Amino acid sequence: MLLAELVATSEEVAATRSRKAKVALLAGLLGRVEPDELEVVVSYLGGALRQRRTGLGWRGVSAPAPPAAEPSLSVLEVDEAFAAMALLSGSGSQGARRGAVADLFGRATAAEQAWLRAIVTGNLRQGALDAVTQEAVAQVADVPVTAVRRAAMLAGSTVDAARAAFEGEDALAAIGLEVGRPVMPMLASSAPDVAAAMAGLSPDGTTEVAVDAKLDGIRIQVHRDGDDVLVVTRSLDDITSRLPEVVAVARSLPASRFVLDGEALALTDDGRPMAFQDTASRTAQAEGVAITPHFFDVLHVDGRDLLDAPGHERLAALDALVPEPHRVRRLLTSDAAAADAFAAETVAAGHEGVVLKDLSAPYAAGRRGAAWVKVKPVHTLDLVVLAVEWGSGRRQGWLSNIHLGARDESSPTGFVMLGKTFKGMTDEMLAWQTERFLSLETHREGHVVHVRPEQVVEIAFDGLQRSTRYPGGLALRFARVVRYRDDKTPAEADTIETVRSLVTG
Ligand SMILES: Nc1ncnc2c1ncn2[C@@H]1O[C@H](COP(=O)(O)OP(=O)(O)OP(=O)(O)O)[C@@H](O)[C@H]1O
């Protein structure tokens, strides 16, 4: 298959809003793929190269090479070129890599060059399209989409699920939980308050639910197989070497093969949680603060798969495996007032809120479903920084006021601006963001530095107001920065639809 075919389909997919049309376009493309091309094509549709590291960055692919007039590159040739670049190391590798890039880009048309640049820098917009790709795979391989989705979540990869799907339904069903292979984590939906969450989970007022403390640290999934321990983040990145305390706790537990889900948290000496910013920088730099794991779910223990077991069974297994100091605080109740009191206590103890959980539900890997409902007293959105303004006065020389965007599939840039803020930034954050945003700069207009939309930021706000100033027709009131979120990609930021759903009246 020619790369040009894939690029053209990607452009068509981006240009239509209809999910059905997107699936049909992708199915058309997948129908023309040869078996040995499948993994590469599915990986590219998901916005990723197959090589995790190529040694290439933005600068490495920004130099203009004259484009080819006619398309000739095949997807396999592109994959081979990146595989060869990934192997380069040592002296002379920089020059060799430059040569390889010039070769590859010299054979690409202008449209292909733009696509190559985007995929190398992780900027392909169809990265959000994994679910649509899974649907197309199911259609072409003639297997149920639920089976493809489940396999992708359990294998942590749509590529692996696609390969199995084309081998048939049995191969797909054979993909199960494997200790040592990360699973997409279960996600939570949200409710405005505890009463609303209880009304959803216990409509008759007599069904018991679990109310967990919501700790504000870093999501961790911990796999132990004998002496081998693997710790991954929410996006399945391996952070084992950065969290020796978590590895030690995992090795101390009374079972030799298990998978645990939880949150890693830095605690001060008096047991209060430290700000997420500090937890995150601890993982980046391994300095002084002790990090402790707090687990809230278990997916496997010594040969027993628990993914499909109801919540109360998983919690019983968790309590048997993990001693109390390493478990998240939890209340089981059917009483909304008791749940509310527990939430108030939890917030008073310095935590972020609570997560209410359906005790009859299975572990829905990779899904943001109704079985887990989070309640936080302060409303926040995860937005993407589109531009930054140079500060003045005390902030002279620093990039200060950030322009905030929500995801918007219908906008040509993929984002729509909702407002600006320079509030909530510490001096450390200002220094960090100045460097960060200069590295993402695309162009300048007066004192505004426009950046590639790659940095996600969590914003707290007091409300939304209708506004003619911004194209989305909405503006945030009293927006302030809570933290930068390096554990989320722009594809995981909040959408304009989510923002609109928060407008009352
Ligand atoms: N007891 C708990 N149960 C489940 N998740 C918890 C718990 N304590 C903390 N968390 C964190 O809360 C998150 C659940 O919210 P959600 O699935 O919406 O993820 P998120 O988008 O990262 O949310 P947020 O920005 O609110 O942390 C989990 O990813 C996890 O990191």
Side-chain angles (χ1 to χ4, degrees):
M1 171 172 288
L2 286 180
L3 179 66
E5 255 184 285
L6 187 144
V7 171
T9 305
S10 289
E11 282 169 0
E12 285 175 82
V13 168
T16 173
R17 291 188 70 178
S18 149
R19 185 181 175 101
K20 234 172 127 180
K22 287 182 200 280
V23 173
L25 284 163
L26 293 175
L29 184 80
L30 288 171
R32 300 194 297 277
V33 160
E34 299 292 334
D36 59 344
E37 297 167 336
L38 182 71
E39 284 179 39
V40 180
V41 170
V42 172
S43 189
Y44 288 177
L45 289 176
L49 296 174
R50 289 198 317 139
Q51 296 72 26
R52 271 190 95 90
R53 287 187 187 287
T54 54
L56 288 173
W58 178 255
R59 286 188 203 293
V61 293
S62 58
E70 292 294 325
S72 68
L73 277 171
S74 73
V75 289
L76 288 182
E77 284 171 321
V78 174
D79 183 57
E80 279 159 23
F82 283 116
M85 285 183 230
L87 290 176
L88 295 172
S89 68
S91 69
S93 63
Q94 286 224 350
R97 194 169 288 121
R98 256 197 307 276
V101 170
D103 266 2
L104 180 64
F105 277 68
R107 294 182 56 200
T109 62
E112 289 170 327
Q113 285 190 351
W115 182 91
L116 284 167
R117 237 171 244 133
I119 198 161
V120 166
T121 53
N123 274 327
L124 265 193
R125 270 188 52 211
Q126 70 262 37
L129 276 187
D130 244 16
V132 185
T133 306
Q134 287 161 9
E135 240 174 282
V137 165
Q139 222 174 70
V140 180
D142 197 17
V143 291
V145 64
T146 46
V148 177
R149 203 151 280 162
R150 180 183 162 87
M153 295 308 162
L154 293 182
S157 136
T158 298
V159 175
D160 291 349
R163 188 191 320 109
F166 283 95
E167 284 166 26
E169 222 170 308
D170 289 348
L172 212 47
I175 293 187
L177 178 80
E178 261 177 45
V179 178
R181 184 176 66 185
V183 170
M184 299 297 289
M186 179 163 174
L187 301 173
S189 53
S190 15
D193 52 39
V194 171
M198 283 301 279
L201 291 170
S202 180
D204 56 1
T206 60
T207 310
E208 210 169 51
V209 305
V211 188
D212 270 8
K214 185 176 195 297
L215 308 186
D216 190 10
I218 296 166
R219 181 84 178 257
I220 48 168
Q221 189 177 103
V222 179
H223 293 243
R224 173 176 169 195
D225 187 356
D227 278 343
D228 292 337
V229 175
L230 170 71
V231 185
V232 298
T233 61
R234 172 196 155 97
S235 44
L236 310 188
D237 292 317
D238 183 346
I239 50 164
T240 315
S241 62
R242 298 194 209 151
L243 297 178
E245 302 95 332
V246 174
V247 174
V249 169
R251 288 209 176 113
S252 73
L253 300 180
S256 58
R257 277 169 61 81
F258 55 75
V259 181
L260 286 167
D261 189 2
E263 195 86 355
L265 195 65
L267 294 176
T268 57
D269 290 343
D270 60 357
R272 286 182 77 83
M274 286 179 60
F276 173 88
Q277 208 68 34
D278 302 327
T279 310
S281 71
R282 163 62 173 74
T283 62
Q285 294 156 19
E287 69 196 18
V289 193
I291 297 264
T292 32
H294 298 264
F295 297 108
F296 47 73
D297 217 318
V298 58
L299 315 187
H300 180 100
V301 189
D302 281 344
R304 192 168 152 228
D305 268 337
L306 292 160
L307 273 176
D308 294 320
H312 63 83
E313 258 179 53
R314 299 201 309 280
L315 290 181
L318 179 72
D319 294 355
L321 177 65
V322 179
E324 205 175 332
H326 291 298
R327 289 199 310 259
V328 164
R329 264 191 80 221
R330 172 201 325 143
L331 172 76
L332 296 190
T333 185
S334 56
D335 177 12
D340 205 36
F342 180 84
E345 251 172 58
T346 306
V347 171
H351 298 296
E352 201 188 12
V354 286
V355 186
L356 286 84
K357 299 179 176 179
D358 180 343
L359 286 167
S360 64
Y363 188 92
R367 261 179 292 142
R368 193 181 288 288
W372 286 8
V373 185
K374 63 181 172 186
V375 179
K376 298 197 275 191
V378 180
H379 291 286
T380 63
L381 286 169
D382 291 325
L383 301 173
V384 175
V385 179
L386 306 176
V388 208
E389 299 174 11
W390 284 108
S392 56
R394 208 178 82 73
R395 293 198 177 178
Q396 187 87 41
W398 275 340
L399 285 176
S400 169
N401 205 8
I402 54 178
H403 296 198
L404 304 164
R407 262 168 57 211
D408 181 3
E409 287 292 322
S410 69
S411 134
T413 60
F415 297 96
V416 58
M417 184 166 167
L418 287 178
K420 308 179 190 179
T421 186
F422 52 83
K423 300 208 177 75
M425 293 156 184
T426 61
D427 285 356
E428 271 148 331
M429 271 164 114
L430 284 168
W432 178 86
Q433 75 181 33
T434 299
E435 196 175 319
R436 169 73 175 151
F437 293 129
L438 284 176
S439 80
L440 295 179
E441 172 171 359
T442 54
H443 62 284
R444 287 188 197 196
E445 265 174 286
H447 66 301
V448 181
V449 176
H450 292 268
V451 298
R452 299 202 303 279
E454 289 179 22
Q455 181 63 49
V456 178
V457 61
E458 183 173 346
I459 296 292
F461 57 98
D462 289 355
L464 282 155
Q465 60 200 66
R466 297 192 192 281
S467 156
T468 49
R469 187 160 355 136
Y470 298 114
L474 286 175
L476 298 169
R477 291 187 43 178
F478 300 115
R480 53 207 182 266
V481 172
V482 179
R483 65 198 190 194
Y484 281 106
R485 295 219 41 170
D486 294 321
D487 59 333
K488 280 200 172 179
T489 64
E492 293 172 295
D494 283 308
T495 61
I496 185 72
E497 286 80 18
T498 303
V499 179
R500 289 204 176 105
S501 75
L502 298 174
V503 182
T504 46

